[in-house]
Short mmCIF file of all heavy atoms in Angstrom, two decimals:
data_model
loop_
_atom_site.label_atom_id
_atom_site.label_comp_id
_atom_site.label_asym_id
_atom_site.label_seq_id
_atom_site.Cartn_x
_atom_site.Cartn_y
_atom_site.Cartn_z
N THR A 17 51.64 143.93 166.46
CA THR A 17 51.60 144.92 165.38
C THR A 17 52.99 145.10 164.80
O THR A 17 54.00 145.03 165.51
CB THR A 17 51.05 146.28 165.86
OG1 THR A 17 51.96 146.86 166.81
CG2 THR A 17 49.67 146.14 166.49
N GLY A 18 53.04 145.30 163.47
CA GLY A 18 54.33 145.50 162.81
C GLY A 18 55.21 144.26 162.89
O GLY A 18 56.43 144.37 163.06
N ALA A 19 54.59 143.08 162.70
CA ALA A 19 55.34 141.81 162.85
C ALA A 19 56.06 141.40 161.57
O ALA A 19 56.69 140.36 161.54
CB ALA A 19 54.39 140.70 163.28
N ASN A 20 55.98 142.23 160.53
CA ASN A 20 56.60 141.85 159.25
C ASN A 20 58.11 142.03 159.24
O ASN A 20 58.81 141.45 158.42
CB ASN A 20 55.99 142.67 158.10
CG ASN A 20 56.17 144.17 158.30
OD1 ASN A 20 55.82 144.71 159.34
ND2 ASN A 20 56.72 144.86 157.31
N THR A 21 58.63 142.84 160.16
CA THR A 21 60.05 143.20 160.08
C THR A 21 60.57 143.60 161.46
O THR A 21 59.79 143.77 162.41
CB THR A 21 60.24 144.37 159.07
OG1 THR A 21 61.63 144.62 158.90
CG2 THR A 21 59.57 145.64 159.54
N GLY A 22 61.89 143.75 161.58
CA GLY A 22 62.49 144.37 162.76
C GLY A 22 62.13 143.73 164.09
O GLY A 22 62.04 142.50 164.22
N LEU A 23 61.91 144.59 165.08
CA LEU A 23 61.66 144.10 166.44
C LEU A 23 60.35 143.33 166.54
O LEU A 23 60.27 142.33 167.27
CB LEU A 23 61.65 145.29 167.41
CG LEU A 23 62.92 146.16 167.42
CD1 LEU A 23 62.86 147.17 168.57
CD2 LEU A 23 64.17 145.30 167.53
N GLY A 24 59.33 143.76 165.80
CA GLY A 24 58.05 143.05 165.83
C GLY A 24 58.18 141.63 165.30
O GLY A 24 57.59 140.69 165.85
N GLN A 25 58.98 141.48 164.26
CA GLN A 25 59.21 140.14 163.71
C GLN A 25 59.95 139.27 164.73
O GLN A 25 59.60 138.12 164.98
CB GLN A 25 60.01 140.24 162.41
CG GLN A 25 60.23 138.89 161.75
CD GLN A 25 60.97 139.03 160.43
OE1 GLN A 25 62.05 139.63 160.36
NE2 GLN A 25 60.39 138.51 159.38
N VAL A 41 49.39 142.11 162.75
CA VAL A 41 48.59 143.25 162.29
C VAL A 41 49.52 144.30 161.70
O VAL A 41 50.48 144.72 162.37
CB VAL A 41 47.78 143.86 163.46
CG1 VAL A 41 47.04 145.12 162.99
CG2 VAL A 41 46.81 142.85 164.02
N GLY A 42 49.26 144.72 160.47
CA GLY A 42 50.10 145.75 159.87
C GLY A 42 49.66 146.06 158.45
O GLY A 42 48.69 145.50 157.96
N ARG A 43 50.41 146.95 157.83
CA ARG A 43 50.02 147.36 156.47
C ARG A 43 50.80 146.59 155.42
O ARG A 43 50.45 146.62 154.24
CB ARG A 43 50.24 148.86 156.29
CG ARG A 43 51.68 149.27 156.46
CD ARG A 43 51.86 150.76 156.43
NE ARG A 43 53.25 151.06 156.77
CZ ARG A 43 53.73 152.26 156.94
NH1 ARG A 43 52.94 153.31 156.82
NH2 ARG A 43 54.99 152.44 157.23
N SER A 44 51.91 145.92 155.80
CA SER A 44 52.73 145.21 154.82
C SER A 44 52.57 143.70 154.98
O SER A 44 52.20 143.21 156.05
CB SER A 44 54.21 145.56 155.01
OG SER A 44 54.39 146.94 154.85
N ASN A 45 52.90 143.01 153.91
CA ASN A 45 52.85 141.56 153.90
C ASN A 45 53.86 140.98 154.91
O ASN A 45 55.02 141.38 154.92
CB ASN A 45 53.20 141.12 152.47
CG ASN A 45 53.07 139.65 152.30
OD1 ASN A 45 53.56 138.88 153.10
ND2 ASN A 45 52.38 139.26 151.23
N ALA A 65 46.08 146.44 158.23
CA ALA A 65 45.58 147.69 158.82
C ALA A 65 46.63 148.77 158.74
O ALA A 65 47.83 148.51 158.89
CB ALA A 65 45.20 147.46 160.28
N ASP A 66 46.17 149.99 158.51
CA ASP A 66 47.03 151.16 158.63
C ASP A 66 46.86 151.70 160.05
O ASP A 66 45.80 152.23 160.38
CB ASP A 66 46.64 152.22 157.59
CG ASP A 66 47.52 153.46 157.69
OD1 ASP A 66 48.30 153.57 158.68
OD2 ASP A 66 47.44 154.30 156.79
N LEU A 67 47.87 151.56 160.86
CA LEU A 67 47.74 151.88 162.30
C LEU A 67 47.82 153.38 162.57
O LEU A 67 47.76 153.80 163.74
CB LEU A 67 48.77 151.10 163.09
CG LEU A 67 48.56 149.57 162.97
CD1 LEU A 67 49.74 148.81 163.56
CD2 LEU A 67 47.26 149.16 163.66
N GLU A 68 47.93 154.17 161.52
CA GLU A 68 47.82 155.61 161.73
C GLU A 68 46.36 155.97 162.02
O GLU A 68 46.06 157.02 162.55
CB GLU A 68 48.36 156.37 160.50
CG GLU A 68 48.85 157.74 160.89
CD GLU A 68 49.63 158.45 159.80
OE1 GLU A 68 50.34 157.80 159.02
OE2 GLU A 68 49.52 159.69 159.75
N ARG A 69 45.45 155.07 161.65
CA ARG A 69 44.02 155.33 161.84
C ARG A 69 43.52 154.60 163.09
O ARG A 69 43.14 153.43 163.03
CB ARG A 69 43.25 154.89 160.61
CG ARG A 69 43.59 155.72 159.37
CD ARG A 69 42.50 155.61 158.33
NE ARG A 69 42.46 154.30 157.71
CZ ARG A 69 43.10 153.98 156.59
NH1 ARG A 69 43.83 154.88 155.96
NH2 ARG A 69 43.01 152.78 156.09
N ASN A 92 52.12 145.99 171.36
CA ASN A 92 52.01 147.27 170.64
C ASN A 92 53.41 147.65 170.17
O ASN A 92 54.14 148.37 170.86
CB ASN A 92 51.46 148.35 171.58
CG ASN A 92 49.96 148.48 171.50
OD1 ASN A 92 49.36 148.35 170.42
ND2 ASN A 92 49.33 148.72 172.64
N ASN A 93 53.78 147.15 168.99
CA ASN A 93 55.15 147.33 168.51
C ASN A 93 55.28 148.34 167.37
O ASN A 93 56.28 149.07 167.32
CB ASN A 93 55.71 145.97 168.05
CG ASN A 93 56.93 146.13 167.17
OD1 ASN A 93 58.04 146.38 167.65
ND2 ASN A 93 56.74 146.03 165.85
N ALA A 94 54.32 148.38 166.45
CA ALA A 94 54.47 149.23 165.26
C ALA A 94 54.78 150.66 165.69
O ALA A 94 54.20 151.17 166.64
CB ALA A 94 53.21 149.20 164.41
N GLY A 95 55.71 151.28 164.98
CA GLY A 95 56.07 152.65 165.34
C GLY A 95 56.78 153.35 164.20
O GLY A 95 57.34 152.70 163.31
N VAL A 96 56.73 154.67 164.21
CA VAL A 96 57.45 155.46 163.20
C VAL A 96 58.23 156.55 163.91
O VAL A 96 57.86 157.02 164.99
CB VAL A 96 56.52 156.13 162.17
CG1 VAL A 96 55.96 155.11 161.22
CG2 VAL A 96 55.40 156.91 162.84
N ILE A 97 59.32 156.95 163.26
CA ILE A 97 60.12 158.06 163.79
C ILE A 97 60.18 159.14 162.72
O ILE A 97 60.30 158.83 161.53
CB ILE A 97 61.52 157.57 164.22
CG1 ILE A 97 62.26 158.65 165.01
CG2 ILE A 97 62.36 157.09 163.06
CD1 ILE A 97 63.38 158.09 165.90
N SER A 112 51.67 161.95 162.65
CA SER A 112 51.89 160.56 162.23
C SER A 112 52.50 159.74 163.37
O SER A 112 52.06 158.63 163.67
CB SER A 112 52.75 160.49 160.97
OG SER A 112 53.97 161.16 161.18
N VAL A 116 50.50 156.65 165.36
CA VAL A 116 50.96 155.25 165.28
C VAL A 116 51.55 154.79 166.61
O VAL A 116 51.34 153.65 167.03
CB VAL A 116 52.01 155.07 164.15
CG1 VAL A 116 52.50 153.63 164.10
CG2 VAL A 116 51.44 155.49 162.81
N ASN A 117 52.29 155.66 167.29
CA ASN A 117 53.07 155.24 168.46
C ASN A 117 52.31 155.34 169.78
O ASN A 117 52.71 154.73 170.76
CB ASN A 117 54.34 156.10 168.60
CG ASN A 117 55.24 156.04 167.39
OD1 ASN A 117 54.96 155.33 166.44
ND2 ASN A 117 56.33 156.80 167.42
N ILE A 144 55.89 148.71 173.26
CA ILE A 144 57.32 148.86 172.93
C ILE A 144 57.67 150.34 173.05
O ILE A 144 57.27 151.17 172.23
CB ILE A 144 57.65 148.29 171.54
CG1 ILE A 144 57.22 146.81 171.47
CG2 ILE A 144 59.15 148.44 171.26
CD1 ILE A 144 57.82 145.89 172.56
N ALA A 145 58.38 150.64 174.13
CA ALA A 145 58.77 152.02 174.45
C ALA A 145 60.11 152.32 173.78
O ALA A 145 60.37 151.86 172.67
CB ALA A 145 58.82 152.18 175.96
N SER A 146 61.00 153.03 174.45
CA SER A 146 62.24 153.48 173.80
C SER A 146 63.15 154.09 174.86
O SER A 146 62.70 154.43 175.97
CB SER A 146 61.87 154.53 172.75
OG SER A 146 63.00 155.28 172.35
N MET A 147 64.40 154.30 174.51
CA MET A 147 65.28 155.10 175.38
C MET A 147 64.67 156.50 175.53
O MET A 147 64.88 157.17 176.55
CB MET A 147 66.69 155.20 174.79
CG MET A 147 67.46 153.88 174.74
SD MET A 147 67.83 153.19 176.37
CE MET A 147 66.49 152.02 176.63
N LEU A 148 63.92 156.93 174.50
CA LEU A 148 63.32 158.27 174.54
C LEU A 148 62.02 158.29 175.33
O LEU A 148 61.29 159.27 175.32
CB LEU A 148 63.16 158.82 173.12
CG LEU A 148 64.50 158.91 172.36
CD1 LEU A 148 64.34 159.67 171.05
CD2 LEU A 148 65.60 159.54 173.21
N TYR A 159 58.45 161.76 168.22
CA TYR A 159 58.80 160.40 168.69
C TYR A 159 59.02 160.41 170.20
O TYR A 159 58.51 159.57 170.94
CB TYR A 159 60.06 159.94 167.96
CG TYR A 159 60.44 158.49 168.20
CD1 TYR A 159 59.81 157.46 167.51
CD2 TYR A 159 61.44 158.15 169.11
CE1 TYR A 159 60.16 156.13 167.71
CE2 TYR A 159 61.80 156.83 169.32
CZ TYR A 159 61.16 155.82 168.62
OH TYR A 159 61.52 154.51 168.83
N LYS A 163 56.81 158.33 172.84
CA LYS A 163 57.37 157.24 173.64
C LYS A 163 57.37 157.58 175.14
O LYS A 163 57.24 156.69 175.98
CB LYS A 163 58.77 156.89 173.16
CG LYS A 163 58.81 156.31 171.73
CD LYS A 163 58.08 154.97 171.63
CE LYS A 163 58.23 154.34 170.26
NZ LYS A 163 57.60 153.01 170.17
N LEU A 166 53.87 156.96 176.05
CA LEU A 166 53.58 155.52 176.13
C LEU A 166 54.02 154.94 177.47
O LEU A 166 53.36 154.05 178.02
CB LEU A 166 54.28 154.81 174.97
CG LEU A 166 53.87 153.37 174.67
CD1 LEU A 166 52.38 153.26 174.32
CD2 LEU A 166 54.72 152.81 173.52
N ILE A 187 58.52 147.28 177.18
CA ILE A 187 59.93 147.00 176.94
C ILE A 187 60.51 148.26 176.30
O ILE A 187 59.92 148.79 175.35
CB ILE A 187 60.12 145.80 175.98
CG1 ILE A 187 59.61 144.51 176.63
CG2 ILE A 187 61.59 145.65 175.58
CD1 ILE A 187 59.57 143.32 175.69
N ALA A 188 61.64 148.73 176.81
CA ALA A 188 62.31 149.89 176.21
C ALA A 188 63.60 149.41 175.54
O ALA A 188 64.63 149.25 176.21
CB ALA A 188 62.61 150.93 177.28
N PRO A 189 63.54 149.16 174.23
CA PRO A 189 64.77 148.72 173.56
C PRO A 189 65.77 149.87 173.48
O PRO A 189 65.40 151.04 173.36
CB PRO A 189 64.29 148.35 172.14
CG PRO A 189 62.79 148.31 172.21
CD PRO A 189 62.41 149.25 173.31
N GLY A 190 67.04 149.50 173.54
CA GLY A 190 68.09 150.49 173.30
C GLY A 190 68.26 150.68 171.81
O GLY A 190 67.27 150.90 171.09
N TYR A 191 69.47 150.60 171.32
CA TYR A 191 69.74 150.82 169.89
C TYR A 191 69.85 149.47 169.18
O TYR A 191 70.76 148.70 169.44
CB TYR A 191 71.00 151.67 169.73
CG TYR A 191 70.72 153.12 170.10
CD1 TYR A 191 70.66 153.52 171.43
CD2 TYR A 191 70.42 154.06 169.12
CE1 TYR A 191 70.36 154.84 171.77
CE2 TYR A 191 70.12 155.37 169.45
CZ TYR A 191 70.09 155.75 170.78
OH TYR A 191 69.77 157.05 171.10
N PHE A 192 68.87 149.22 168.28
CA PHE A 192 68.77 147.93 167.61
C PHE A 192 68.93 148.09 166.10
O PHE A 192 68.53 149.12 165.52
CB PHE A 192 67.41 147.28 167.91
CG PHE A 192 67.37 146.56 169.23
CD1 PHE A 192 67.46 147.26 170.43
CD2 PHE A 192 67.27 145.18 169.29
CE1 PHE A 192 67.46 146.61 171.65
CE2 PHE A 192 67.26 144.52 170.50
CZ PHE A 192 67.35 145.22 171.69
N GLU A 193 69.47 147.06 165.48
CA GLU A 193 69.64 147.06 164.01
C GLU A 193 68.32 146.74 163.33
O GLU A 193 67.93 145.59 163.21
CB GLU A 193 70.67 145.98 163.62
CG GLU A 193 72.10 146.37 163.91
CD GLU A 193 73.09 145.31 163.45
OE1 GLU A 193 72.76 144.51 162.56
OE2 GLU A 193 74.19 145.28 164.02
N THR A 194 67.60 147.79 162.90
CA THR A 194 66.36 147.62 162.12
C THR A 194 66.27 148.78 161.13
O THR A 194 67.11 149.70 161.15
CB THR A 194 65.11 147.66 163.03
OG1 THR A 194 65.00 148.99 163.56
CG2 THR A 194 65.18 146.67 164.17
N ASN A 195 65.20 148.79 160.33
CA ASN A 195 64.98 149.90 159.37
C ASN A 195 64.93 151.24 160.10
O ASN A 195 65.40 152.26 159.59
CB ASN A 195 63.64 149.74 158.63
CG ASN A 195 63.58 148.45 157.85
OD1 ASN A 195 64.62 147.92 157.46
ND2 ASN A 195 62.38 147.93 157.65
N ASN A 196 64.36 151.21 161.30
CA ASN A 196 64.16 152.41 162.11
C ASN A 196 65.47 153.15 162.38
O ASN A 196 65.50 154.37 162.54
CB ASN A 196 63.49 151.94 163.43
CG ASN A 196 63.24 153.03 164.44
OD1 ASN A 196 64.19 153.64 164.92
ND2 ASN A 196 61.99 153.28 164.78
N THR A 197 66.58 152.41 162.43
CA THR A 197 67.87 153.01 162.78
C THR A 197 68.86 152.99 161.61
O THR A 197 70.05 153.25 161.82
CB THR A 197 68.51 152.28 163.98
OG1 THR A 197 68.61 150.88 163.65
CG2 THR A 197 67.69 152.43 165.24
N LEU A 200 70.78 156.25 161.21
CA LEU A 200 71.78 156.44 162.27
C LEU A 200 73.02 155.60 162.02
O LEU A 200 74.15 156.05 162.17
CB LEU A 200 71.20 156.03 163.63
CG LEU A 200 70.26 156.99 164.35
CD1 LEU A 200 69.86 156.41 165.70
CD2 LEU A 200 70.92 158.35 164.53
N TRP A 219 75.32 146.96 168.64
CA TRP A 219 73.90 147.23 168.46
C TRP A 219 73.11 145.97 168.85
O TRP A 219 73.61 144.85 168.71
CB TRP A 219 73.61 147.57 166.99
CG TRP A 219 74.08 148.93 166.59
CD1 TRP A 219 75.36 149.31 166.32
CD2 TRP A 219 73.26 150.09 166.39
NE1 TRP A 219 75.39 150.65 165.98
CE2 TRP A 219 74.11 151.15 166.00
CE3 TRP A 219 71.89 150.35 166.50
CZ2 TRP A 219 73.65 152.44 165.73
CZ3 TRP A 219 71.41 151.62 166.22
CH2 TRP A 219 72.29 152.66 165.85
N GLY A 220 71.88 146.15 169.31
CA GLY A 220 71.03 145.01 169.62
C GLY A 220 70.48 144.37 168.36
O GLY A 220 70.36 145.03 167.32
N PRO A 222 67.12 141.93 166.88
CA PRO A 222 65.74 141.62 167.30
C PRO A 222 65.65 140.42 168.25
O PRO A 222 64.87 140.46 169.21
CB PRO A 222 65.04 141.34 165.96
CG PRO A 222 65.76 142.26 165.01
CD PRO A 222 67.21 142.23 165.44
N LEU A 225 65.48 140.68 172.16
CA LEU A 225 64.27 141.01 172.92
C LEU A 225 63.48 139.78 173.34
O LEU A 225 62.49 139.89 174.08
CB LEU A 225 63.35 141.92 172.09
CG LEU A 225 63.84 143.34 171.81
CD1 LEU A 225 62.74 144.13 171.10
CD2 LEU A 225 64.21 144.05 173.11
P1 LIG B 1 60.95 149.11 161.69
O1 LIG B 1 61.80 148.00 161.21
O2 LIG B 1 60.91 150.41 160.96
O3 LIG B 1 59.47 148.54 161.92
C1 LIG B 1 58.40 149.40 162.21
C2 LIG B 1 57.13 148.60 162.08
O4 LIG B 1 56.01 149.47 162.30
C3 LIG B 1 56.95 148.02 160.69
O5 LIG B 1 56.33 146.78 160.77
C4 LIG B 1 56.05 149.04 160.04
O6 LIG B 1 55.33 148.55 158.94
C5 LIG B 1 55.12 149.34 161.21
N1 LIG B 1 54.36 150.55 160.93
C6 LIG B 1 54.81 151.81 160.87
N2 LIG B 1 53.79 152.64 160.54
C7 LIG B 1 52.70 151.87 160.38
C8 LIG B 1 51.35 152.13 160.04
N3 LIG B 1 50.90 153.38 159.77
N4 LIG B 1 50.49 151.10 159.97
C9 LIG B 1 50.91 149.84 160.22
N5 LIG B 1 52.16 149.53 160.56
C10 LIG B 1 53.05 150.53 160.63
O7 LIG B 1 61.41 149.53 163.15
P2 LIG B 1 61.69 148.72 164.49
O8 LIG B 1 62.98 149.20 164.99
O9 LIG B 1 61.45 147.26 164.33
O10 LIG B 1 60.55 149.35 165.39
C11 LIG B 1 59.60 148.60 166.12
C12 LIG B 1 59.24 149.36 167.39
O11 LIG B 1 60.38 149.43 168.21
C13 LIG B 1 58.81 150.81 167.14
O12 LIG B 1 57.77 151.16 168.01
C14 LIG B 1 60.08 151.59 167.48
O13 LIG B 1 59.78 152.89 167.88
C15 LIG B 1 60.59 150.75 168.63
N6 LIG B 1 62.02 150.95 168.93
C16 LIG B 1 63.01 150.63 168.04
C17 LIG B 1 64.33 150.82 168.41
C18 LIG B 1 65.47 150.48 167.50
O14 LIG B 1 66.63 150.75 167.87
N7 LIG B 1 65.27 149.89 166.36
C19 LIG B 1 64.65 151.33 169.66
C20 LIG B 1 63.62 151.64 170.53
C21 LIG B 1 62.30 151.44 170.16
P3 LIG B 1 55.95 148.74 157.44
O15 LIG B 1 57.03 147.72 157.30
O16 LIG B 1 54.76 148.53 156.59
O17 LIG B 1 56.50 150.16 157.38
#
Side-chain angles (χ1 to χ4, degrees):
T17 66
N20 59 307
T21 186
L23 303 188
Q25 183 177 54
V41 176
R43 61 186 173 186
S44 301
N45 185 311
D66 180 349
L67 297 170
E68 206 169 326
R69 294 201 289 267
N92 267 323
N93 163 78
V96 287
I97 191 158
S112 56
V116 179
N117 301 358
I144 304 304
S146 163
M147 293 295 96
L148 301 189
Y159 188 81
K163 294 296 185 177
L166 193 60
I187 295 172
Y191 286 79
F192 278 67
E193 284 182 24
T194 67
N195 301 334
N196 178 297
T197 56
L200 281 183
W219 286 76
L225 291 185

